[in-house]
Amino acid sequence: MTNLSTKYLGFDLKSPIIVGSSGLTNSVFAVKEHADNGAGAVVLKSLFEEQIRMESEQNIQISGSNNLYPEAQDYISNYTLEHNLDKYLQLIEDCKQEVDIPVIASINCVTSDGWPQFASKIEKAGADGLELNVFVLPTDFSRGTDENENVYFKVVKEVMKYTSLPLSLKISYFFTNLAQMIQKLSFTGIKGLTLFNRFFSPDIDLKHNKIVAANLLSEPGELTTSLRWIGVMYDRVRCDLAASTGIHNGEAVVKQILAGADVIHLVSALYKNGNNHLKIITNELKDWMTQNKYKSIEEFRGKMSQTVINDPAAYERVQFMKYYSGIE
Ligand SMILES: Cc1cc2nc3c(=O)[nH]c(=O)nc-3n(C[C@H](O)[C@H](O)[C@H](O)COP(=O)(O)O)c2cc1C
């Protein structure tokens, strides 16, 4: 019998396969389906403060109160905020009633008030944990590296003052000194790091000469960036590691666990193949474990991480030298 149970953010999960934050987790119906399909946990769709602010601006425009009635504008802003927050808190409460797997909320805020305010309300609504979806795109020429990177530490510190929920931090790889940054973040008291978020990115439509959205969904080949950094950071951080991006099948799950992931997030694979695909991936993981005579996840987690393998430099090869790549 294969045992998929694993620990993540202090919870005992029945599987390391969890459904990542996305439209796949924005209704109680969908969350229940993931739980029924065997997901170890779900991360709900992020509550985006910026989106709420944009909606409030639109409501102010529609009501015609822009410039004329400051009190009316405040009222509309507060109403829009409360309405969106309430909807999200209701989703948490409903999910907690329907499923017995951990329900991890997710937020992305743009103001210093937003993070703690959302976090404390989410805790009261009964979420089991909170993923902080933090991203500063380093495009502002007037801001130095420290200024950008300090945002992450400030957000964590501020949120921790207002909630005792276990926190995970979902980040990108746009850092000057990624390994050190990941390690320092893991020392802040967070319980998990999700490596990495994959963003809405621009592409150019050559026919119409305009910027359009690039592929929204990942391809299996995108696995390797998170695989490298999970492998490098395993055993060098003081928190759990969740792998995200490019995990489309059981083999990819196995690779991430061998590299050292505590859990893996599925998103694009379920968008492409339907929610039922989680069951198929879970069975592929089980089959691999049976074939390789592993009874539990613990037995092979991190077995191919950088600190363990005989050739640690394999994780650091970056140039296409013939000797490594086999082609010129
Ligand atoms: C349609 C869509 C919506 C997403 N929404 C969120 C979100 O609200 N919050 C978040 O942290 N990540 C969000 N993501 C990113 C995913 O959680 C995930 O990190 C990313 O898609 C990479 O994983 P994948 O290769 O399995 O898709 C979204 C991704 C997609 C495709």
Side-chain angles (χ1 to χ4, degrees):
M1 272 290 284
T2 46
N3 177 2
L4 299 188
S5 67
T6 195
K7 281 209 178 290
Y8 181 58
L9 307 182
F11 304 111
D12 291 314
L13 307 190
K14 60 183 175 198
S15 165
I17 300 175
I18 74 181
V19 181
S21 181
S22 61
L24 298 166
T25 53
N26 69 358
S27 78
V28 66
F29 178 80
V31 166
K32 189 164 176 343
E33 197 178 353
H34 301 314
D36 292 344
N37 286 341
V42 288
V43 186
L44 298 181
K45 170 95 187 135
S46 299
L47 181 64
F48 291 104
E49 186 188 11
E50 192 180 5
Q51 189 167 314
I52 299 174
R53 292 194 177 275
M54 282 160 74
E55 201 179 303
S56 50
E57 279 305 311
Q58 274 172 1
N59 289 343
I60 289 169
Q61 299 284 340
I62 293 166
S63 73
S65 57
N66 41 329
N67 302 326
L68 290 175
Y69 311 108
E71 296 85 358
Q73 288 179 28
D74 283 351
Y75 176 79
I76 293 170
S77 298
N78 285 336
Y79 173 81
T80 314
L81 176 66
E82 291 303 324
H83 175 69
N84 279 283
L85 247 174
D86 284 351
K87 254 182 21 194
Y88 197 72
L89 302 178
Q90 191 63 51
L91 172 66
I92 296 170
E93 282 176 33
D94 292 346
C95 289
K96 282 304 299 167
Q97 294 217 327
E98 286 295 324
V99 299
D100 58 3
I101 56 173
V103 174
I104 301 163
S106 166
I107 55 175
N108 171 275
C109 295
V110 285
T111 64
S112 46
D113 289 347
W115 295 101
Q117 185 192 6
F118 286 11
S120 64
K121 294 203 171 183
I122 280 170
E123 179 168 22
K124 286 193 193 98
D128 295 293
L130 179 61
E131 188 167 82
L132 305 173
N133 166 7
V134 189
F135 184 48
V136 181
L137 187 70
T139 49
D140 186 341
F141 292 94
S142 66
R143 288 169 66 96
T145 309
D146 286 354
E147 218 177 326
N148 280 340
E149 294 187 352
N150 279 339
V151 170
Y152 294 79
F153 295 95
K154 270 195 203 149
V155 167
V156 170
K157 198 168 165 197
E158 203 50 30
V159 169
M160 275 179 177
K161 284 190 210 154
Y162 290 84
T163 175
S164 53
L165 283 176
L167 299 178
S168 66
L169 185 61
K170 188 175 188 185
I171 57 169
S172 76
Y173 44 83
F174 294 103
F175 291 103
T176 323
N177 192 349
L178 186 56
Q180 196 187 71
M181 183 69 178
I182 293 175
Q183 191 174 59
K184 279 190 188 162
L185 286 169
S186 84
F187 294 165
T188 56
I190 54 171
K191 294 277 182 284
L193 270 159
T194 301
L195 312 181
F196 295 107
N197 208 341
R198 181 179 183 275
F199 299 101
F200 192 90
S201 297
D203 194 1
I204 296 178
D205 175 345
L206 291 176
K207 206 165 160 200
H208 302 99
N209 269 346
K210 61 175 188 178
I211 304 294
V212 291
N215 285 343
L216 288 180
L217 303 180
S218 71
E219 295 295 330
E222 291 178 49
L223 172 80
T224 50
T225 303
S226 56
L227 188 70
R228 165 179 279 161
W229 290 99
I230 293 279
V232 169
M233 297 315 299
Y234 176 76
D235 228 12
R236 289 167 165 154
V237 285
R238 275 192 219 139
C239 68
D240 298 335
L241 290 174
S244 172
T245 298
I247 301 152
H248 286 248
N249 52 40
E251 273 191 12
V253 172
V254 169
K255 288 178 189 179
Q256 289 286 11
I257 297 172
L258 282 169
D262 292 282
V263 294
I264 65 93
H265 288 202
L266 292 186
V267 174
S268 291
L270 302 188
Y271 270 114
K272 286 185 177 176
N273 304 297
N275 290 344
N276 220 28
H277 198 61
L278 195 146
K279 281 194 210 164
I280 296 171
I281 294 184
T282 306
N283 284 334
E284 287 171 352
L285 168 63
K286 281 185 188 161
D287 287 347
W288 181 88
M289 286 171 65
T290 310
Q291 279 158 22
N292 290 277
K293 304 196 176 14
Y294 289 120
K295 291 201 173 65
S296 74
I297 298 286
E298 260 340 287
E299 286 173 39
F300 66 101
R301 171 172 297 119
K303 263 197 142 184
M304 294 293 290
S305 64
Q306 193 183 30
T307 49
V308 170
I309 54 173
N310 292 332
D311 178 20
Y315 273 104
E316 290 171 11
R317 282 178 198 135
V318 287
Q319 301 298 346
F320 284 98
M321 287 185 281
K322 188 182 170 196
Y323 178 72
Y324 299 129
S325 68
I327 51 171
E328 268 190 285

